[in-house]
Structures are given as structure tokens and as C-alpha cells.
Amino acid sequence: MNILGGEFLGFLNLNWQAAAMLVISGVLMWLGIARKVEPVLLVPIGAGCMLANIPLGGAAEPGGFLAILREAGIHTEIFPLLIFIGVGAMIDFEPFLQRPYTILLGAAAQFGIFGTFFLAYLLGDGWLHILDFSLQDAASIGIIGSADGPTSIFVSTTLQSKYTAAIVVAAYSYMAMVPIIQPPIIKAMCSKEERALKMPIVAGTISQRTKILFPIITVLVVGLICPKATPLIGCLMFGNLLRECGAVESLSRTAQNEMVNIVTILLGITVGGMMAGTEFLRPETILVFVMGVVAFSLDTVAGVLLGKLMCRLSGRKINPMIGACGISAFPMSARVVNRLGLEANPYNHLLMPAAGANTAGQIASVVAGGVMLMLVPMFA
Amino acid sequence: MLNALWVVLLGMAIIFAVLGVLLLVMTFLDRLVRPKEKKEER
């Protein structure tokens, strides 16, 4: 028996990559537990990362439980879709339905996805060849700009990107960092006068019939024009139908709570299990994280630019800041914009219109994911 | 590089087209089933 040779004692097989990843796993868990940064995700991801990097543990090796979860939940794209049912059941689209024009802000804010995709491809196989980024990798990196974990997982897995783990971790990390990334950009683009602009209140509520028809119509419109987005938009809107139809309260509650919690645990620990040191610690991984900031920033810039245009066209009835909420990242960016509005004018409550643009961004980011899945194979 | 540029241009065009159609449909739907008391006030 070769004990000292490392077949028995794990630490004898500890290379620098595994050691570094164990430290990173500790940081992720610390961020989640001590700093309360996306704890629901970072704690399972940190735990999975720790398990995957224990030498000879075999958790992430073929046949290990993390590898089995990866095959069953990530490669089949089941986990992100199940999460989307839960997300759909949690989202109230009423603020969006009160101001349906905010869907255009959601559309504009998806420019971050495509701008980052273009930049990543130029750095990779497209022109400079500095990094190992294929067209599929670049598209998967760009999708970080959807500010939406399940969409990022779905697209990067479907396109078989080498950087799925880094992309998913970046997507979830930057969602938590929206309150840090967005305010300086918004303040640089909008004067105090613009930030203080109040928006008219929309009186009355949306009828139950509209709320029930909305998810069905959205699936039909998006699915028939952009079929690759059907699984994502279908699951999101199915969850919302459970919520709004009023006939299946128990299913709605289960989707919002038990199901989404179970899948989040499994998804988190599986994503963490994909962070094996030898695969994760590459220069490209760092660039993926840098690109994530670029994507979120471009999203914000594009959304605010259209917000400014709509502000002018509407006779200053629309606060341009709500364009930043088209980024998705629900509900963080709506809270950011509401806070900035209150800072500029203590009576300026923008939460509802911002939440409308935010939920519109959720739909737009799913469509953007479907568009990427449609176009990239055509041009690859 | 040109293929990536096409993805960007077509991608944004398709997103605006899909969501524009959705906006039109939702506006029409809202008018069709709008609650009687709903009106916009300043």
C-alpha cells in the first residue's frame, strides 16, 4: 500500500490550484454567511467548490455525486428551467402591465449582452487571438449581461462553453453587486434634475383576466417568433400562470418555496462542484469576470440612453433612470433606482415604475438568451 | 469578426421586434379587458 505516495492521504495530493480553490470556497461561504451576499447561492456554491477540490475525494470525478448532479441537472438544463418556474411564480408583473412601454427599456438594456459578446470574440478567435474564446464562448460570456443566473446556465450549457462554471459564478456574483456597479454610471449619465423627475402614478389595478392572459400570450408571441427561447420563457410564464390563475394555490406556493429551494440547493452545490482548480484557475476565467462588469455596465448605459430618449419624447413624464432597470437583476436594480430617486428628491418614489422596467428586463433577457441560441449556431 | 457583428445587429433587431410585438399585443389586450375604473392621473 502506497500511503506516502498519496493514494491514502489527501493533503499529499494537494496542488496549488486545489489549495487556491479551497481558499476561494472559504471566501464564497464567508461572503454568504458573514456578509449576507446572496447567501442562498454563495453558501451552496462555496460548499460545492470545497468538496470538488478535496484531493482524492472524488466528489466531482466521474461517478462522484457532484458529477452525477452535473449530468442530471446542468447538462440536461433541467435545474435552470425548474428555477425559472419558481421565479415566474414569485414575480408580480403588475407594475410592468401598468406601464407596458417599459419592455422597450428591457430590450435596450440587452445591448450589454451583445456588446460584451462582440468584445470577447474580438479578444478571442474573432481577431486578436489573445484568449481562447470561440464564438460560443463569447456568446456565453456575453450572456452574463442578462443578469440572470438560470439564463446564463441555460445558454452557456447549450452552447457547450468551456467557461460555464466561471460564467455562472460571475452572473450570480454581479447580480449581488448591482448596487455597486449601477449608481456611478447612472449618476454620470443623469443630472440631479433628471434623477429628481417624478413619474405620474398609474391609478387602478390590472384585471385578473389580463394577468392570466399575459403569461399565455407572452409564451405564444416569444415562442412563435424566437422558438429557441421557448423553454426559458415557457417555464417562467408557466410559474407565473400558477401564481395568477388562482386555481392552483398549493402548486404556486410549492413552486415559490419548496421547489425553488430544493433546486437552488442542488444547483448551487453542482455549480460549486464545477469549480475544480485545474479547470477554473486560468487567465480566461479572470477575463470572464472582467467581461461580466463590462456587460453589466453596457446594459446600464444602453438602458439609461433609451430612458433619456423616452423622457424627451414623453415630455419628461418618464424618469430616465428606470432604463437602468431593464438590466433584469430583479429586484436589486429597481431598489437602486428608487434609492437614487429619493436621494435627488425625498418625495420621488420610483419603485413601481422601476419594478415594471425590472420585470420587463427579465422577459427581455430571456428573449436575448433565445436569440443568442438561435444566431450563434448560424454564424459559427 | 463580421459574423459577430451580424449577430449583434440581428440580435438587437430581433429582440426589439419580438418585444415590440409583445408590447403591441399587450396594449391591445389591456384595452380589451381594461377595468372600468382604470385611468391615469397626474
Side-chain angles (χ1 to χ4, degrees):
Chain A
M1 186 184 294
N2 185 10
I3 293 174
L4 293 179
E7 294 296 319
F8 187 69
L9 295 171
F11 66 84
L12 293 175
N13 282 270
L14 194 65
N15 54 30
W16 73 268
Q17 291 103 328
M21 292 310 294
L22 288 174
V23 172
I24 290 172
S25 74
V27 171
L28 291 174
M29 286 189 279
W30 172 77
L31 282 172
I33 296 165
R35 294 286 181 166
K36 305 282 185 251
V37 177
E38 295 280 332
V40 172
L41 287 160
L42 291 191
V43 174
I45 289 175
C49 176
M50 182 177 67
L51 294 174
N53 286 286
I54 291 180
L56 307 181
E61 303 292 321
F65 85 101
L66 290 175
I68 292 169
L69 282 175
R70 183 176 177 169
E71 278 297 319
I74 302 279
H75 288 174
T76 59
E77 295 143 11
I78 291 294
F79 285 168
L81 295 177
L82 291 177
I83 291 271
F84 252 24
I85 294 176
V87 171
M90 284 189 266
I91 291 183
D92 178 7
F93 281 102
E94 182 158 348
F96 161 65
L97 292 170
Q98 286 176 329
R99 295 176 179 84
Y101 61 82
T102 53
I103 196 83
L104 298 177
L105 297 171
Q110 304 315 309
F111 178 73
I113 294 176
F114 291 93
T116 309
F117 153 76
F118 191 68
L119 193 61
Y121 190 56
L122 288 191
L123 290 171
D125 296 354
W127 186 32
L128 296 173
H129 296 278
I130 298 170
L131 299 160
D132 183 18
F133 291 159
S134 65
L135 196 72
Q136 288 84 348
D137 292 327
S140 304
I141 292 165
I143 210 72
I144 296 172
S146 69
D148 186 25
T151 304
S152 301
I153 297 172
F154 189 84
V155 172
S156 57
T157 308
T158 307
L159 293 177
Q160 298 179 330
S161 170
K162 301 184 282 293
Y163 307 107
T164 299
I167 287 163
V168 174
V169 175
Y172 278 114
S173 308
Y174 289 136
M175 275 167 66
M177 287 170 68
V178 160
I180 298 166
I181 296 171
Q182 284 201 313
I185 300 170
I186 295 171
K187 283 184 177 177
M189 294 183 70
C190 300
S191 64
K192 191 174 179 186
E193 190 194 351
E194 285 175 321
R195 298 201 300 275
L197 203 61
K198 290 175 80 172
M199 289 182 67
I201 297 165
V202 177
T205 54
I206 298 295
S207 72
Q208 195 63 24
R209 194 184 300 170
T210 305
K211 287 182 176 180
I212 293 170
L213 287 173
F214 168 68
I216 297 167
I217 289 172
T218 303
V219 170
L220 291 174
V221 170
V222 175
L224 289 174
I225 302 176
C226 182
K228 292 284 184 187
T230 304
L232 287 169
I233 199 77
C235 287
L236 184 74
M237 290 300 152
F238 168 60
N240 193 249
L241 185 63
L242 293 180
R243 173 196 175 95
E244 300 296 353
C245 74
V248 286
E249 277 297 315
S250 60
L251 297 189
S252 174
R253 277 199 306 274
T254 303
Q256 289 181 46
N257 299 293
E258 290 84 356
M259 191 188 80
V260 86
N261 285 338
I262 290 169
V263 182
T264 301
I265 291 172
L266 295 174
L267 178 65
I269 201 167
T270 308
V271 168
M274 293 161 72
M275 295 167 68
T278 45
E279 294 171 31
F280 196 80
L281 290 178
R282 290 190 283 185
E284 284 86 352
T285 305
I286 296 164
L287 259 293
V288 166
F289 278 81
V290 173
M291 291 289 176
V293 180
V294 174
F296 273 58
S297 303
L298 286 178
D299 280 342
T300 308
V301 169
V304 173
L305 279 178
L306 187 64
K308 284 170 92 82
L309 180 67
M310 288 170 80
C311 173
R312 183 162 293 187
L313 293 177
S314 67
R316 299 179 69 77
K317 285 181 184 166
I318 296 172
N319 189 310
M321 285 198 300
I322 67 165
C325 301
I327 193 174
S328 186
F330 183 81
M332 277 81 82
S333 55
R335 287 181 189 153
V336 165
V337 165
N338 186 51
R339 182 171 56 78
L340 291 176
L342 287 171
E343 278 175 16
N345 174 358
Y347 302 103
N348 189 15
H349 295 278
L350 293 170
L351 191 60
M352 290 310 279
N358 221 175
T359 48
Q362 180 77 56
I363 298 170
S365 66
V366 169
V367 175
V371 168
M372 271 296 190
L373 292 177
M374 186 168 72
L375 292 178
V376 169
M378 281 170 60
F379 288 94
Chain B
M1 194 168 74
L2 268 180
N3 54 355
L5 197 60
W6 274 115
V7 171
V8 174
L9 295 175
L10 280 176
M12 288 307 292
I14 294 170
I15 288 173
F16 270 100
V18 173
L19 298 179
V21 171
L22 186 62
L23 171 60
L24 282 176
V25 174
M26 291 315 298
T27 306
F28 176 70
L29 180 81
D30 187 47
R31 286 186 182 169
L32 204 67
V33 295
R34 183 194 292 253
K36 282 177 186 169
E37 71 278 7
K38 186 170 181 265
K39 61 180 180 183
E40 196 154 316
E41 66 182 23
R42 286 167 186 255

